[in-house]
């Protein structure tokens, strides 16, 4: 936390000095301006600094007559108040800052922004008149000279809920005991600011006859659209991101080796930045973005990447995808969304880019758990010096040559508010059903109600909002004594996951909440299983109480949840609200697909898991197999004599080791909770081998297909199957009937040898005979791929 605080302070000095040093003067007395930037990615101060228009072009600007912002203006908002403070007589002054969520107060030792010093701050919210929640809210004594103007800045960042910032002071000679708002008698606005650049999108002339649609970019640069060299440059201000769901592991290699990457994503999303905001909606997801970058000014640029868990940014030296590795940066573990300096390989050095050129760029991202965020930032010749800014859509073009095709029937958003039931069709397009003609022009037709079960982060402190028990009663669980308890009946069985809890939040009697707690769950309301015992914090009685992250039910299947207070000493105990992330459980025995290609007769078991009967056998392709220490998901590994492993078997994995003689599970081998793993000794063909058998096995190993192209009947799906004899680099390309490369399916370094496959749909290919070219250190293999 200390590191982050220092980092933000450093940024603010640079911003202020670069923008207004030598350019501002004392303006109108009695008022200042409040400025706000809306729709930010998160409630970190770094997100405000990363906003491209901060601090020169706010979304909202209002004149105020005291150092207090408007109250509860918006969510995900960053605000700033700047100007000058003066005192009527020389005095020792102490300042106090309140606000929500994160706040900073800087005061210069003079009129110059160059001399700003952090005087007070808070990294958490306070109420408007809560002056002593954090010791850092209050400055030390500052001697201020009568008639001298001191430049100041107040910065704050808001996520959900209430938002505000206020500055108070005490003076030794005037009011030494009471905090008072700094009012209009002691403040003056900023003046002498430089002229603003024309609005982005304003028509202009860049002086280049070879460009068209010339527009101002908002930073005093006139930018025209050049004619691209190739045919892959698509629409401007539009980026398509593909998502690959349910891929365990947090390494990029887990994404790269998955059969569906990159040609068969599960869904797509339209972005306006090379960024995905902080979110915890899904786990075990991978992403890919392909696009083109342009620059409005020839000069040096730097790039930075952040994300969770692993992500990489490729920037080509030109328009060609083949040169994408000319520049690359990487997050090899995890960073916060604006944590720019955790790894030395997060940032590039200066890269010389030319106006009028298109540069291919690509983002690959793999997340395991927590947040699926990632972001690309830049430093440019035309923005604030030494600050990382998100790259906006104005400089980005979509990549129009992708062959990624999402399965038909998957849900999507076609971008049209007047359609319903949007989903992908047989030709990989996202389409929706138009609304009824009578409603197509009705704004209500595009209204989307707030999901009933979405997590809300705050409840107020009225007593009638919560549930309160003042009479102990017999528990539904006979193992519990008479107590205060509340039972939830969800109507049917669900698979329970993470929960969020709001305790009893009466403004006065918040101490009546649950503290010592038992949680039980049940399928029938009669037979109960204890989840655990807990010590819960009481609420704070505030009007915007946010609760806390509750127990993780970790996949427990239940219809009933019982919460029991084990507390003594209070006649009444109450509870606020409970939210549980849950999945509907199908009936046991229902046919399903467990995702394991080596099983049959897949059905739902009593615990809502899809399981099948394993049909794997020892194919006796290699004598010994050493698997290393990578994450294994859904594979069968077999050998004539020995399989040795120090791998981790994924929690969603279906993995089997088969050997004719020996299986060694070495230190480091681990099966995660929920994984399906089996090891068995089985001779080839189920019998001992004689000399003739060994000859047949040798022939089998020699005759194995290095490369196969398999067509799935009655679909456009193709399976590219390849055998890697030894670990190493593998590249697979698709060539069109003219022999030109149209798609690179794979180009990575494999750690393990074995048989792998890649899935491909061909709806975006023209009919004809294509070639699949497989390259490894053993040589090159070529197979035909027919597109009808």
């Amino acid at each position: 936390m200390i590191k982050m605080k220092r980092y933000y302070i450093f940024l603010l000095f640079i911003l202020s000095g670069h923008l207004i040093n030598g350019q501002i003067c004392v303006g109108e007395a009695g008022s200042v301006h409040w400025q706000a930037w809306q729709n930010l990615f998160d409630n970190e101060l770094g997100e405000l600094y990363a906003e491209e228009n901060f601090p020169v072009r706010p979304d909202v600007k209002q004149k105020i007559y005291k150092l207090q912002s408007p109250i509860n203006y918006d969510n995900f908002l960053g605000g700033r108040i700047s100007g000058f403070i003066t005192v009527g007589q020389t005095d020792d002054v102490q300042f106090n800052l309140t606000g929500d969520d994160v706040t900073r107060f800087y005061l210069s030792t003079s009129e110059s922004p160059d001399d700003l010093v952090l005087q007070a701050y808070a990294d958490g919210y306070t109420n408007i008149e809560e002056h002593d929640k954090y010791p850092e809210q209050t400055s030390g004594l500052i001697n201020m000279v009568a008639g001298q103007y001191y430049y100041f800045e107040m910065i704050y960042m808001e996520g959900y809920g209430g938002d505000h910032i206020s500055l108070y002071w005490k003076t030794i000679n005037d009011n030494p005991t009471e905090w008072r708002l700094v009012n209009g008698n002691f403040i003056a606005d900023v003046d002498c600011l430089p002229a603003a650049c024309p609005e982005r999108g304003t028509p202009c002339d860049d002086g280049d006859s070879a460009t068209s649609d010339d527009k101002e970019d908002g930073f005093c640069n006139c930018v025209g659209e050049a004619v691209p060299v190739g045919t892959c440059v698509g629409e401007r201000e539009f980026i398509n991101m593909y998502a690959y769901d349910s891929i365990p592991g947090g390494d990029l290699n887990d994404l790269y080796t998955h059969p569906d990457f990159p040609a068969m994503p599960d869904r797509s999303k339209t972005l306006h930045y090379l960024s995905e905001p902080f979110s915890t909606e899904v786990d075990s997801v991978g992403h890919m973005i392909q696009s083109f970058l342009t620059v409005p000014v020839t000069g040096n640029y730097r790039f930075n990447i952040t994300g969770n868990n692993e992500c990489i940014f490729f920037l080509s030296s030109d328009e060609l995808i083949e040169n994408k590795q000319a520049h690359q940066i990487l997050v090899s573990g995890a960073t916060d969304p604006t944590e720019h300096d955790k790894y030395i390989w997060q940032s590039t050095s200066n890269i010389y880019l030319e106006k009028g050129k298109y540069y291919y760029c690509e983002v690959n991202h793999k997340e395991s758990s927590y947040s699926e965020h990632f972001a690309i930032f830049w430093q440019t010749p035309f923005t604030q010096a030494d600050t990382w800014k998100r790259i906006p859509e104005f400089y980005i073009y979509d990549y129009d040559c992708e062959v990624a095709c999402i399965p038909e029937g998957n849900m999507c958003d076609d971008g049209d508010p007047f359609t319903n039931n949007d989903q992908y069709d047989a030709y990989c397009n996202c389409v929706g059903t138009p609304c009824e003609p009578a409603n197509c022009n009705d704004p209500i037709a595009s209204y989307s109600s707030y999901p009933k079960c979405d997590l809300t982060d705050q409840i107020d402190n009225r007593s009638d909002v919560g549930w309160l028990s003042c009479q102990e009663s017999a528990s539904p669980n006979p193992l519990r004594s008479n107590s205060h308890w509340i039972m939830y009946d969800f109507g049917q069985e669900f698979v329970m996951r993470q929960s969020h809890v709001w305790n009893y939040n009466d403004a006065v009697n918040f101490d009546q909440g649950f503290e010592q707690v038992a949680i039980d769950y049940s399928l029938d309301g009669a037979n109960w299983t204890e989840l655990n015992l807990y010590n819960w914090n009481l609420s704070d009685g505030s009007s915007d109480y946010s609760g806390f992250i509750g127990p993780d039910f970790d996949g427990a299947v239940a219809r009933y949840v019982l919460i029991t207070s084990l507390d003594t000493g209070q006649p009444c105990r109450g509870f606020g609200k409970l939210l549980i992330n849950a999945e509907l459980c199908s009936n046991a025995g229902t046919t399903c697909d467990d995702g394991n290609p080596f099983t049959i007769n897949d059905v739902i078991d009593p615990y809502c898991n899809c399981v099948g009967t394993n049909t794997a056998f020892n194919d006796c392709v290699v004598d010994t197999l050493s698997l290393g220490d990578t994450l294994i998901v859904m594979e069968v590994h077999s050998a004539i004599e020995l399989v040795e492993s120090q791998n981790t078997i994924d929690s969603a994995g279906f993995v089997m080791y088969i050997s004719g003689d020996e299986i060694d599970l070495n230190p480091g081998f681990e099966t995660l909770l929920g994984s399906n793993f089996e090891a068995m000794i089985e001779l080839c063909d189920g019998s001992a081998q004689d000399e003739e058998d060994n000859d047949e096995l040798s022939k089998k190993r020699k005759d194995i297909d290095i490369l196969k192209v398999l067509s799935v009947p009655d679909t456009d799906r193709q399976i590219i199957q390849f055998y890697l004899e030894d670990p190493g680099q593998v590249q697979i390309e698709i060539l069109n009937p003219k022999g030109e490369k149209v798609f690179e399916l794979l180009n990575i370094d494999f750690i393990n040898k074995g048989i792998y496959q890649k899935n491909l749909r061909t709806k975006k290919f023209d009919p004809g005979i294509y070639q699949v070219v497989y390259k490894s250190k053993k040589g090159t293999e070529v197979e035909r791929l027919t597109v009808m």
Side-chain angles (χ1 to χ4, degrees), residues 666-681:
N666 296 321
F669 177 84
E670 180 183 6
T671 56
L672 300 181
L673 182 65
S675 62
N676 290 269
F677 172 73
E678 184 175 352
M680 60 185 295
I681 302 298

Side-chain angles (χ1 to χ4, degrees), residues 337-380:
T338 55
E339 188 179 7
H340 301 291
D341 58 356
K342 185 174 182 178
Y343 305 103
I344 59 173
W345 42 81
Q346 277 182 256
S347 302
T348 69
S349 56
N350 284 330
I351 300 174
Y352 185 77
L353 302 179
E354 299 179 48
K355 179 181 180 180
K357 291 183 65 175
Y358 295 87
Y359 297 90
Y360 174 82
C361 57
E362 181 176 322
V363 180
N364 302 155
H365 167 247
K366 183 65 182 76
E367 177 256 15
S368 172
S369 60
Y370 190 49
S371 171
E372 54 269 23
H373 68 270
F374 65 86
I376 310 300
F377 304 83
W378 68 357
Q379 294 175 0
T380 79

Side-chain angles (χ1 to χ4, degrees), residues 490-497 556-559 580-588 590 604-609:
F490 297 100
Q492 62 188 96
E493 296 173 8
F494 286 89
V495 181
M496 305 289 185
R497 306 293 184 189
V557 180
R559 171 177 171 174
I580 302 175
N581 290 320
E583 303 165 14
L584 187 64
C585 184
S586 303
N587 293 328
T590 303
I604 300 294
D605 71 8
Y607 300 99
C608 298
N609 299 307

